[in-house]
Amino acid sequence: MAEITSIEPQIKDKTRCNVYVDGRFYCGIKLEVAVKYRLKAGMHVEKERLDEIQLETEKSQAIDKAMTHLSASMKTRKQMRDFLSKKGYTEAVINYVLERLEYHKLVDDYAYCRAYVQSVKGKGKRALEADLLKRGADKNAVQTALDETEEDCDAAVSILEKYLRGKNRDKNTIYKGYKYLLSKGYGYDTAKTAVERFSDEDYRT
């Protein structure tokens, strides 16, 4: 059984407090809830009981906070989980909120990936994949969204045109432009096609 080592008022919200168990932060709850359940330092309690208390008393508030967070922009499942965790919610509450959000299609990694791929210009598939994985999107959702998307060769040509502007278009510079497109995450075939629009037959990569 764990021990509540301290209960401290939150700095930004005086109506809430942080509960520390065995010397480490465990969760945040309303002060009135702490009083109602007579939680105090030195008290021995099962962590599962703290989970039950928070789920019972704060799941609605957690959903409200999640909805507010979503109102600014779409979020991946991981981004929402991280957000709720930073707010001091336990795993039980986080799982409950995510279940409700996913049920109503308010959190959907595939939809997030599709929207991101369609909105970001000037990046190839490899760069888009890296961005999405960094945002915590599900790997299968990322792959599906990218498989359904054709790389924009016109965008690659536009990027290459800006790169080559003011430069001599010799073989070495053209090759550097090709590598530049690869660094932007474009695939080999797309980069080659873009380069060929700017180069003579002798300079083709």
Side-chain angles (χ1 to χ4, degrees):
M1 186 172 290
E3 179 184 350
I4 297 177
T5 46
S6 67
I7 298 178
E8 302 175 4
Q10 293 185 359
I11 297 176
K12 294 184 178 181
D13 187 348
K14 300 300 183 182
T15 67
R16 296 177 61 78
C17 60
N18 292 329
V19 178
Y20 292 81
V21 174
D22 295 333
R24 301 180 64 181
F25 172 77
Y26 187 73
C27 67
I29 58 175
K30 295 179 181 178
L31 282 171
E32 62 186 66
V33 172
V35 172
K36 175 182 177 180
Y37 289 92
R38 298 179 181 178
L39 303 179
K40 60 183 179 179
M43 179 179 181
H44 288 84
V45 61
E46 296 287 352
K47 290 183 180 180
E48 290 77 8
R49 179 53 181 157
L50 291 176
D51 293 351
E52 291 172 359
I53 291 172
Q54 193 188 63
L55 180 61
E56 176 188 343
T57 60
E58 303 206 358
K59 61 185 180 183
S60 294
Q61 184 185 56
I63 288 179
D64 288 342
K65 286 184 180 295
M67 292 298 293
T68 299
H69 191 49
L70 280 171
S71 66
S73 63
M74 295 176 69
K75 302 293 187 299
T76 64
R77 193 175 196 275
K78 184 178 185 303
Q79 286 174 330
M80 184 55 67
R81 176 177 290 280
D82 290 346
F83 168 77
L84 292 171
S85 179
K86 289 179 180 178
K87 290 297 180 181
Y89 291 109
T90 64
E91 194 72 10
V93 173
I94 293 173
N95 289 338
Y96 172 84
V97 173
L98 288 175
E99 180 181 334
R100 302 308 301 166
L101 293 177
E102 290 180 323
Y103 176 80
H104 293 289
K105 300 296 183 181
L106 296 173
V107 169
D108 183 329
D109 276 17
Y110 168 71
Y112 179 96
C113 292
R114 283 287 296 171
Y116 185 83
V117 168
Q118 292 171 3
S119 66
V120 175
K121 306 300 180 184
K123 288 188 176 183
K125 284 188 177 183
R126 290 186 294 110
L128 292 171
E129 179 181 21
D131 287 349
L132 289 168
L133 292 176
K134 186 176 181 180
R135 287 165 170 74
D138 176 76
K139 290 183 179 180
N140 291 331
V142 172
Q143 193 59 55
T144 300
L146 292 176
D147 286 346
E148 296 174 351
T149 304
E150 291 291 333
E151 279 195 322
D152 189 347
C153 190
D154 289 338
V157 169
S158 179
I159 291 172
L160 183 59
E161 183 177 21
K162 291 180 181 179
Y163 176 82
L164 295 175
R165 193 170 296 160
K167 297 182 175 69
N168 293 323
R169 296 181 181 179
D170 54 31
K171 187 174 182 179
N172 185 55
T173 303
I174 293 293
Y175 182 65
K176 287 182 178 179
Y178 172 76
K179 292 180 66 176
Y180 181 72
L181 288 177
L182 296 181
S183 74
K184 288 290 185 179
Y186 284 98
Y188 297 107
D189 291 341
T190 302
K192 182 177 180 180
T193 300
V195 163
E196 288 177 344
R197 295 191 189 182
F198 285 87
S199 56
D200 295 327
E201 187 72 28
D202 291 340
Y203 291 158
R204 291 188 178 184
T205 304

